[in-house]
Amino acid sequence: VAELDRLLAVAGKDGVKAGSEVHGRFEDQDGALRAAGYVAAAGNSEPLRLRRGFPPGKVIEALDVFVAVSGCRNPTLAGTAAEAIGHVGMTGLPDLPRSAPAAEGDGDESAGDRSAGDENAATATATARSGGLPDDGDAAAGTMDLLVRRLARVMTKISDPGAQQRAARAAGHVIAGGCAPTDADFLVDALFKLAGTKSEETRIAVGEALCFAFGGVGVTAEGALFGSFVSLAEFTEKTSVESRADLTPEAGSAGDKRFFAGTDAVRDKILDAIFQRYLYSSRSEERCAACAWLLALVLHTRRHPRLLSMLSEIQEAFGSLLGDQNELTQEMASRGVSVVYELGTEEQRKELLGSLMGVLSGESQRKRRVKLDDDTQVFQEGTIKIDDKELAKKGDGDAPAGSTGGGSLSTYKELCSIVTDIGQPDLIYKFMDLANYQAMLNSSKGAAYGFAGIAKRAGDALAPHLAKLLPKLYRMQHDPSPNMREAVKGIWQAVVDDPKGAVEAHFSAVMEELLSECGSRMWRARQSSASALAELLSGRRFAEVEPYLERVWEASLRSIDDIKETVREAGKTLCRASRGLTVRLCDSHHSSPAETRATIEKTLPMLLNKGLNSTVREVQALAMDVVMNVAKHAGSAELGPHIPTMVTCLLEALSSMEDSRLNYIEQHAPAIGLSQERLEHARLQSAKASPMGETLDLLMNHVDDEVMKELVPAVGGVLRSGVGLNTRAGAARFLSRLCLRRGSLVRPHAGKLFKSLLSAAETDKSASVFAAMVSAVAAVARHATEARVNQLVEDVAAAYESVDDDNHERRATLAAALALELSRNASDALCDHATKILPLAFVGRFDADDKRRKKWEEVWEENSSGASSTVRLYLDEILASSLARLSSSQYQIKRQGASALAGLAVDAPDVVAGKAPTMLTALTKELPGRVWEGKESLFPAVADVVEKCPAAASTFGGGEVVKTLVAECAARKKSSYREAALRALDRSLAALAPPTVGPGGGPGGGPGGGAGGGAGAAESVDFFPAVFPLVRDTLDPPSSDSADASMNDAENLDRSTAGATSREMEEEAHRRASEAKAGGAVAESALGCLATLCAGATARGSMDEVASVVARIASAAMAPAHPWTRRAAGLRVVAALARRSATLGSEPRMVEGWLVPLGDAMRECAGDPRVSQLRCVAAEAMGASASALASGSVARAALVKTLEEMRDGDRAADVRGAAHRSLTDALS
């Protein structure tokens, strides 16, 4: 008693405010309170009180001190004081007075007292549930009402967790020690007020308090106060069930009152609150607290009859909480399931085991009866985020108190608000479906924790479930959640003694489970199945995996194309395992032929059809890698039947697996300065070095005669219908390399290959593909039979000779390319068909297309032994082809035929001399008629034949050629056409009537001065009378007509420019300048023709008659206003006229009459400092004129003087040389 007085004095006796300076240090006061609590409890316990006579008033005095200190502001002291009250209450509180309303009765067990007590209890309960507790002012000091209110205050009004926990345990001890029902209800309601706490220790403390209040705990007041008791959790852990069997309520409650029995009312209140209010609350904290309380009840009072009668409800409650979002709730629920299993009967255990199996397998999801309200957390914070700023801002504004916001959706109210804002209220159902899915995953994890605790106790009861359980467990060991993996591994270790043997025994079931779950709608199941399947496939034999190979590859390809990244990563692991297994089973060195054949039959179609044809890069790369390794390691006998299909798929993959960015570059190649040919070449080189190209090369090693029968049609199909540059070119390249490596196999199929390749080459627009096709044809031709090569050459010739075909251009290009490739790569085959190819090559050398012309030129150069000798061999064939082209209806072909005839005459004039009449007949026959595009090319051909074969032309009738040319010149107004005709006429006249070297048969001329110049030459023909009128009309139109034309031109110019814009005037001026330039070119050609006429004239009389006209024309041409080329042409006319007059012996007086007026014009040309070529021609003209004039002529002396000045003073060396030569000729 004295010690208690001393401790109370330190603790705060006589009502002194706790924590004041009177009581010294805080530690002393706290220790005094703790010690006083134990001393008062010891004095209040019945054995000690009876033995030592402890005064009851001291206990009441101590309680007054404890109650007073519990109302202080210091939370530690308040909690310690509450704990001291609990120690006393555990032994049974003494009778304390009630506050005024309760003190009106006499304290007996009368009906009135009970009514008053019930009323007070109802009032207290209603007040507690309404959210507040009565203040201290409602209860007087030293009353029971103040005591329970102070305990409730410490629990609910003080935020310190330690104080709350001590007060909660104290409340439990008070209820367990025995108190009025109203006080018990009040304290239980206060304990329930802590349901919203987030402190795990506080939940445990409340759970232990409820256990004391519930009754049936295995500890007595003496043991708890004076023994080693710390907490119920530690006591339950240390004390086994067997050691407490004799201390259970069933065994000792009848005659032993040491245990806390509790009351039915309190038990009903506790169970009703847990099951009806908190266990299925919308708040996660309250559910967690209820789970902790219920777990504490089944752990610490588990043999209580009331709980044993409710095992099914308790099992359902724990099962419903297995899927809670709170991991602590899951763990406690799973532990509760394990405890319920231990407490249950055999039937209950079977039912629980089956229920857990259903939860683990996802077949029977627990139905949660959680009511949704505005603040119900459907998702954990941060699970669903909003990217839209406005919606996120609105979501933050609508977030309830305590929500973190920040663009995240978690509560039911937020979800409903956001789906309403975006106008899609049906989305709420999808959100709730996601929440249920998350709950199902959580249930599986919680069930796994609980099952781990049950597994060892279940023993043989699990045997019927092993076949169904093992596949699930094997998969769930690879679950993405570390907690789930840990829980399942615990089950696995408890259930499976021999893991390897168990997997072997249930291999089929495990495979079916994993393959099925690889296609699950739940990403966790897909990821775990992929990881587990990768582990399961390692090192398997063919007999084990044969039924599943195709499905394994289907799952593998699907997993690396999954929408979720983690599943794709697991899929990569699975794909590596599948690849290694397949390659090993297809390796002829590690597997039997039958196993290799079966593996290829099961996996190859999947890889080719769904792998290479996939749009996913990863799937394509994986399939390609496996196919290449299969082609590398498999045997020919096993792989042979599949080669046609493999080749077809690989050829198509050359285009489908190409980088799509190349298509973009191809479309924009001109814009970036990249030629189409270079880009295509780069693409083909890339495809050639790709894995597809390497695999195609590998497959060639397995091709034999039987395979070729199916391979040729397959490749032909690709050539006909293949899409993509790389596919078409790759097919041709495959055939080329196949011919190079296995040429003997191609020989029987050359005809089909020729047909497919030629058809594809003719229709393909790509130059690269075309070249590949042509190269393949040449490669096949090296190994084809002679008959097939003959037919090929016939086709080439027909393609090039089909000049009137609508598709001639394409076929001609194909023929040229084929001929060149045959010449390069199959020269032996081409040599036997030179009669067909070389004539085409000669004609093709004059093709209008540059590329075809170059190809034919190379063919001609490589296969001809010399132009003259080769033309002699194939003259008839060349001539026939040229004439056929000349008579074509296509102008371009006509031009080629004319050029070929001219080329014949140029390359081998002695050979074609006998055919010259035929050639000229055909050429001149084409001249009359309408002027078509390019018809000007006929004139050079005529001139070439006449120049190279003049004798044959004269025999044929040179006059007819000249007449035809003159007629064409006179009949056409097109400047370019007339210019070409005049140039051809000039060349023909020079060949048919060349100038004579010396004087003729006398001053008047005669037959002896003909063109032949020799004794045996044919009589020369004088074309001057026939041609001169045409030249004169071209160069010197009638003056009246000229004046009228000039006047008309001026009027037309004025009329055309009247009212025109500046641009129109510029265009009109440009047009007239172009016409003038074209007219100048015609005039120059006419002057050249006139010079040739004068040089070849044989009749002096006709020359003398027109000499003055010719001189006037030449004088007009030498006018300074004309270009120097026209002035030079006029000077050449003067020189030719002067030489011919001297040769024919014209009268000097007549010569001087028309030549003297030209002297000034010649000297003016000779003095032009701008063009040295003009001065050279002027020197030659003056020298010829000086030679034609009489030796004593003044004009001659003037010309000689000018020549001397030019010789001595001109700055140009070539001019000085020309002047010297002309002066020498004039003076000789």
Side-chain angles (χ1 to χ4, degrees):
V1 173
E3 185 65 23
L4 180 60
D5 288 338
R6 187 183 66 80
L7 293 174
L8 292 176
V10 177
K13 190 177 180 181
D14 298 329
V16 179
K17 187 175 181 181
S20 64
E21 297 180 358
V22 177
H23 302 290
R25 296 192 307 170
F26 165 79
E27 293 82 357
D28 296 338
Q29 187 176 2
D30 183 71
L33 282 172
R34 291 178 184 272
Y38 281 104
V39 173
N44 191 48
S45 62
E46 185 174 354
L48 185 60
R49 186 174 66 250
L50 294 176
R51 185 169 62 249
R52 295 191 178 183
F54 196 88
K58 284 296 180 182
V59 176
I60 296 175
E61 181 183 352
L63 285 176
D64 290 340
V65 173
F66 299 155
V67 170
V69 176
S70 65
C72 71
R73 294 182 180 180
N74 190 306
T76 304
L77 292 178
T80 304
E83 184 180 25
I85 293 173
H87 291 164
V88 177
M90 188 181 295
T91 61
L93 290 173
D95 294 332
L96 296 176
R98 294 284 178 176
S99 55
E104 293 177 358
D106 56 3
D108 296 333
E109 293 287 341
S110 63
D113 292 336
R114 287 194 300 269
S115 299
D118 293 341
E119 183 179 354
N120 292 336
T123 302
T125 303
T127 305
R129 291 187 178 180
S130 64
L133 290 168
D135 296 333
D136 294 346
D138 295 339
T143 62
M144 179 63 72
D145 295 327
L146 181 61
L147 184 147
V148 295
R149 280 163 174 74
R150 285 289 172 90
L151 286 178
R153 175 185 175 276
V154 176
M155 280 191 288
T156 59
K157 300 299 183 180
I158 296 179
S159 60
D160 182 63
Q164 290 178 343
Q165 295 161 21
R166 290 194 290 271
R169 289 189 174 94
H173 295 165
V174 169
I175 298 172
C179 64
T182 56
D183 297 331
D185 288 343
F186 186 84
L187 292 175
V188 169
D189 289 335
L191 289 172
F192 289 154
K193 278 294 181 179
L194 296 176
T197 183
K198 295 184 179 180
S199 171
E200 182 178 352
E201 291 79 6
T202 303
R203 294 191 188 110
I204 295 174
V206 174
E208 293 186 1
L210 292 176
C211 289
F212 277 100
F214 191 87
V217 295
V219 64
T220 63
E222 290 76 9
L225 291 173
F226 310 118
S228 59
F229 178 84
V230 177
S231 65
L232 280 178
E234 184 178 347
F235 177 79
T236 303
E237 183 179 355
K238 290 182 178 180
T239 308
S240 63
V241 177
E242 291 78 11
S243 65
R244 292 186 288 113
D246 296 334
L247 299 179
T248 57
E250 300 96 304
S253 61
D256 194 346
K257 299 181 179 180
R258 295 178 300 166
F259 295 98
F260 304 114
T263 64
D264 292 336
V266 172
R267 281 191 285 271
D268 292 340
K269 185 178 183 66
I270 292 174
L271 293 176
D272 181 71
I274 291 176
F275 282 92
Q276 301 301 326
R277 181 177 178 184
Y278 295 111
L279 201 59
Y280 303 105
S281 170
S282 61
R283 298 184 63 83
S284 174
E285 297 84 359
E286 294 183 353
R287 295 195 301 272
C288 184
C291 185
W293 301 342
L294 186 59
L295 177 61
L297 289 176
V298 297
L299 278 174
H300 309 316
T301 65
R302 51 184 169 179
R303 293 299 179 186
H304 199 284
R306 182 65 181 276
L307 292 180
L308 293 177
S309 65
M310 296 180 61
L311 280 182
S312 59
E313 290 86 348
I314 296 173
Q315 172 186 327
E316 181 182 357
F318 282 133
S320 67
L321 293 177
L322 290 175
D324 199 88
Q325 294 179 0
N326 192 318
E327 291 191 0
L328 178 60
T329 306
Q330 295 175 31
E331 293 178 5
M332 291 189 296
S334 61
R335 187 180 178 190
V337 168
S338 177
V339 175
V340 170
Y341 181 85
E342 182 181 352
L343 296 176
T345 63
E346 199 64 31
E347 291 297 328
Q348 289 175 331
R349 291 182 177 185
K350 289 183 179 180
E351 181 183 353
L352 177 59
L353 193 60
S355 176
L356 289 178
M357 285 294 302
V359 175
L360 279 175
S361 61
E363 296 175 358
S364 58
Q365 183 180 350
R366 289 287 179 180
K367 303 297 183 181
R368 296 180 59 203
R369 296 178 293 178
V370 176
K371 180 182 178 181
L372 294 178
D373 55 25
D374 290 347
D375 296 338
T376 301
Q377 188 177 25
V378 180
F379 295 101
Q380 292 183 357
E381 195 66 41
T383 302
I384 299 180
K385 296 183 178 180
I386 313 174
D387 291 333
D388 190 276
K389 295 182 179 178
E390 293 299 325
L391 292 178
K393 186 184 300 183
K394 183 173 180 60
D396 289 346
D398 295 340
S403 175
T404 58
S408 176
L409 301 177
S410 59
T411 65
Y412 182 70
K413 179 181 178 181
E414 291 172 343
L415 292 176
C416 292
S417 175
I418 207 70
V419 299
T420 303
D421 290 340
I422 64 178
Q424 296 185 26
D426 56 317
L427 283 181
I428 191 64
Y429 298 105
K430 295 185 178 180
F431 281 131
M432 299 311 296
D433 183 54
L434 289 175
N436 289 333
Y437 164 64
Q438 183 66 34
M440 184 183 65
L441 295 178
N442 294 335
S443 298
S444 299
K445 181 171 66 174
Y449 280 114
F451 197 90
I454 295 174
K456 291 186 177 180
R457 301 184 182 94
D460 296 337
L462 282 176
H465 302 282
L466 281 180
K468 186 177 180 180
L469 179 62
L470 280 178
K472 303 290 183 183
L473 295 178
Y474 190 87
R475 176 181 64 79
M476 294 171 70
Q477 287 185 94
H478 299 81
D479 193 86
S481 172
N483 294 333
M484 175 67 83
R485 291 198 301 269
E486 182 180 355
V488 173
K489 286 180 179 179
I491 300 176
W492 183 266
Q493 293 171 359
V495 172
V496 180
D497 295 330
D498 182 11
K500 184 176 181 181
V503 172
E504 295 292 338
H506 299 86
F507 180 80
S508 298
V510 175
M511 283 294 293
E512 290 293 342
E513 166 71 14
L514 297 181
L515 292 174
S516 174
E517 291 299 321
C518 278
S520 172
R521 62 185 291 268
M522 298 180 291
W523 69 267
R524 292 176 179 271
R526 298 196 302 272
Q527 180 176 340
S528 59
S529 300
S531 299
L533 189 57
E535 179 182 306
L536 185 62
L537 292 176
S538 178
R540 293 294 167 183
R541 299 183 301 275
F542 174 77
E544 295 176 307
V545 299
E546 179 185 7
Y548 311 103
L549 274 175
E550 187 174 355
R551 295 173 62 191
V552 165
W553 269 111
E554 185 176 357
S556 301
L557 298 181
R558 184 195 298 132
S559 61
I560 58 174
D561 187 26
D562 199 272
I563 192 173
K564 187 162 179 54
E565 183 178 1
T566 56
V567 180
R568 293 197 297 272
E569 292 299 324
K572 292 179 181 179
T573 305
L574 173 58
C575 289
R576 286 193 291 269
S578 303
R579 173 194 175 277
L581 175 66
T582 303
V583 173
R584 175 170 56 82
L585 294 178
C586 291
D587 193 342
S588 58
H589 295 88
H590 296 87
S591 302
S592 64
E595 292 179 352
T596 302
R597 186 180 301 107
T599 304
I600 292 175
E601 290 176 354
K602 289 181 176 295
T603 60
L604 198 58
M606 170 70 68
L607 294 172
L608 295 177
N609 298 329
K610 295 186 178 181
L612 294 182
N613 293 333
S614 173
T615 57
V616 183
R617 287 290 178 186
E618 292 78 4
V619 174
Q620 291 178 339
L622 172 66
M624 188 63 250
D625 180 61
V626 177
V627 170
M628 182 170 66
N629 280 279
V630 169
K632 186 182 297 184
H633 297 98
S636 300
E638 293 77 27
L639 195 61
H642 305 277
I643 288 179
T645 304
M646 294 178 69
V647 170
T648 302
C649 293
L650 290 172
L651 290 175
E652 293 174 352
L654 286 173
S655 295
S656 62
M657 294 181 66
E658 186 183 31
D659 194 338
S660 59
R661 291 174 295 183
L662 291 176
N663 293 327
Y664 177 83
I665 296 176
E666 181 180 8
Q667 295 174 1
H668 298 80
I672 60 178
L674 184 63
S675 65
Q676 190 74 15
E677 291 76 10
R678 290 183 59 189
L679 178 59
E680 289 184 356
H681 178 72
R683 292 175 64 185
L684 293 180
Q685 290 300 317
S686 176
K688 183 178 179 181
S690 66
M692 289 75 72
E694 183 179 351
T695 306
L696 287 170
D697 289 343
L698 292 173
L699 291 177
M700 294 178 190
N701 299 326
H702 304 287
V703 176
D704 54 21
D705 292 331
E706 292 299 323
V707 174
M708 282 297 294
K709 294 179 181 179
E710 298 181 5
L711 181 60
V712 171
V715 177
V718 175
L719 292 173
R720 288 191 304 271
S721 58
V723 179
L725 172 75
N726 292 335
T727 296
R728 302 191 303 273
R733 186 172 60 248
F734 175 77
L735 291 176
S736 299
R737 294 187 61 81
L738 185 62
C739 293
L740 181 64
R741 299 174 61 177
R742 310 297 295 275
S744 59
L745 299 177
V746 179
R747 187 178 182 88
H749 309 278
K752 295 180 180 179
L753 293 176
F754 281 152
K755 183 178 179 181
S756 299
L757 289 168
L758 291 175
S759 177
E762 187 173 341
T763 56
D764 204 293
K765 298 180 179 180
S766 171
S768 300
V769 176
F770 177 81
M773 298 289 182
V774 171
S775 179
V777 172
V780 175
R782 294 183 60 185
H783 304 281
T785 60
E786 185 177 356
R788 293 299 183 188
V789 177
N790 290 340
Q791 184 61 45
L792 175 63
V793 174
E794 292 288 343
D795 293 340
V796 171
Y800 198 70
E801 292 291 351
S802 59
V803 293
D804 294 326
D805 191 358
D806 294 337
N807 197 27
H808 169 70
E809 286 295 319
R810 189 63 182 175
R811 299 187 67 188
T813 302
L814 177 59
L818 279 173
L820 180 59
E821 285 297 329
L822 290 173
S823 175
R824 289 175 176 174
N825 301 321
S827 55
D828 295 339
L830 188 63
C831 290
D832 299 334
H833 304 84
T835 306
K836 288 287 186 181
I837 296 298
L838 287 181
L840 293 179
F842 184 87
V843 176
R845 293 167 59 207
F846 306 97
D847 200 299
D849 185 79
D850 291 338
K851 294 181 179 179
R852 290 200 298 265
R853 182 170 63 251
K854 291 179 180 178
K855 288 182 174 65
W856 285 118
E857 285 177 353
E858 184 175 346
V859 173
W860 175 261
E861 292 173 0
E862 292 295 331
N863 296 275
S864 63
S865 57
S868 180
S869 60
T870 306
V871 168
R872 188 184 303 277
L873 287 174
Y874 307 110
L875 177 61
D876 294 336
E877 290 82 358
I878 295 174
L879 186 60
S881 178
S882 301
L883 294 176
R885 292 178 176 274
L886 188 62
S887 61
S888 172
S889 59
Q890 298 185 26
Y891 305 146
Q892 186 175 350
I893 305 301
K894 283 180 176 291
R895 293 198 298 270
Q896 182 184 4
S899 300
L901 291 176
L904 271 176
V906 172
D907 291 345
D910 55 336
V911 177
V912 302
K915 302 292 184 179
T918 304
M919 297 162 63
L920 288 174
T921 300
L923 289 171
T924 54
K925 181 181 177 181
E926 297 295 331
L927 289 176
R930 64 184 295 270
V931 178
W932 37 268
E933 183 180 358
K935 190 176 181 180
E936 296 88 343
S937 61
L938 296 178
F939 294 113
V942 172
D944 285 338
V945 175
V946 172
E947 277 185 346
K948 298 301 179 181
C949 307
S954 299
T955 303
F956 162 72
E960 295 297 327
V961 176
V962 173
K963 289 180 181 179
T964 303
L965 295 175
V966 170
E968 288 299 308
C969 291
R972 310 301 178 187
K973 295 183 179 181
K974 186 178 179 181
S975 299
S976 59
Y977 187 82
R978 296 185 67 189
E979 179 185 359
L982 287 170
R983 292 186 182 281
L985 179 60
D986 184 10
R987 293 172 58 193
S988 300
L989 290 175
L992 295 173
T996 56
V997 180
E1019 183 179 355
S1020 298
V1021 180
D1022 189 0
F1023 297 105
F1024 195 93
V1027 179
F1028 180 72
L1030 170 66
V1031 178
R1032 180 192 59 200
D1033 293 342
T1034 302
L1035 296 173
D1036 189 22
S1039 58
S1040 59
D1041 295 343
S1042 177
D1044 293 342
S1046 300
M1047 187 178 299
N1048 291 336
D1049 290 342
E1051 292 177 357
N1052 292 336
L1053 179 61
D1054 294 339
R1055 190 181 301 113
S1056 61
T1057 57
T1061 62
S1062 58
R1063 181 177 179 179
E1064 292 174 346
M1065 295 176 65
E1066 291 176 359
E1067 292 177 353
E1068 181 64 20
H1070 178 71
R1071 184 185 66 80
R1072 292 183 178 276
S1074 300
E1075 292 179 354
K1077 184 177 181 180
V1082 172
E1084 292 176 11
S1085 300
L1087 289 171
C1089 186
L1090 179 59
T1092 303
L1093 277 176
C1094 293
T1098 59
R1100 188 181 67 186
S1102 59
M1103 283 294 299
D1104 292 341
E1105 292 175 359
V1106 299
S1108 59
V1109 178
V1110 173
R1112 186 176 66 252
I1113 292 173
S1115 177
M1118 289 185 292
H1122 293 307
W1124 74 269
T1125 53
R1126 189 168 180 178
R1127 298 170 69 187
L1131 290 171
R1132 294 189 184 94
V1133 172
V1134 173
L1137 181 60
R1139 292 193 186 97
R1140 202 57 179 165
S1141 298
T1143 302
L1144 295 177
S1146 298
E1147 292 291 336
R1149 182 177 56 82
M1150 295 182 63
V1151 173
E1152 188 173 353
W1154 57 263
L1155 188 57
V1156 171
L1158 297 176
D1160 293 337
M1162 288 189 290
R1163 282 189 291 271
E1164 186 175 1
C1165 292
D1168 191 331
R1170 294 172 296 176
V1171 185
S1172 60
Q1173 295 94 321
L1174 179 62
R1175 299 199 299 274
C1176 290
V1177 178
E1180 295 176 1
M1182 287 189 294
S1185 300
S1187 299
L1189 293 173
S1191 58
S1193 171
V1194 176
R1196 182 175 184 276
L1199 293 175
V1200 170
K1201 182 179 179 181
T1202 302
L1203 288 173
E1204 289 176 348
E1205 292 175 353
M1206 292 176 67
R1207 180 195 63 187
D1208 299 333
D1210 198 276
R1211 59 186 179 181
D1214 55 343
V1215 176
R1216 295 196 299 270
H1220 176 73
R1221 291 190 297 272
S1222 298
L1223 188 61
T1224 303
D1225 294 338
L1227 298 177
S1228 61

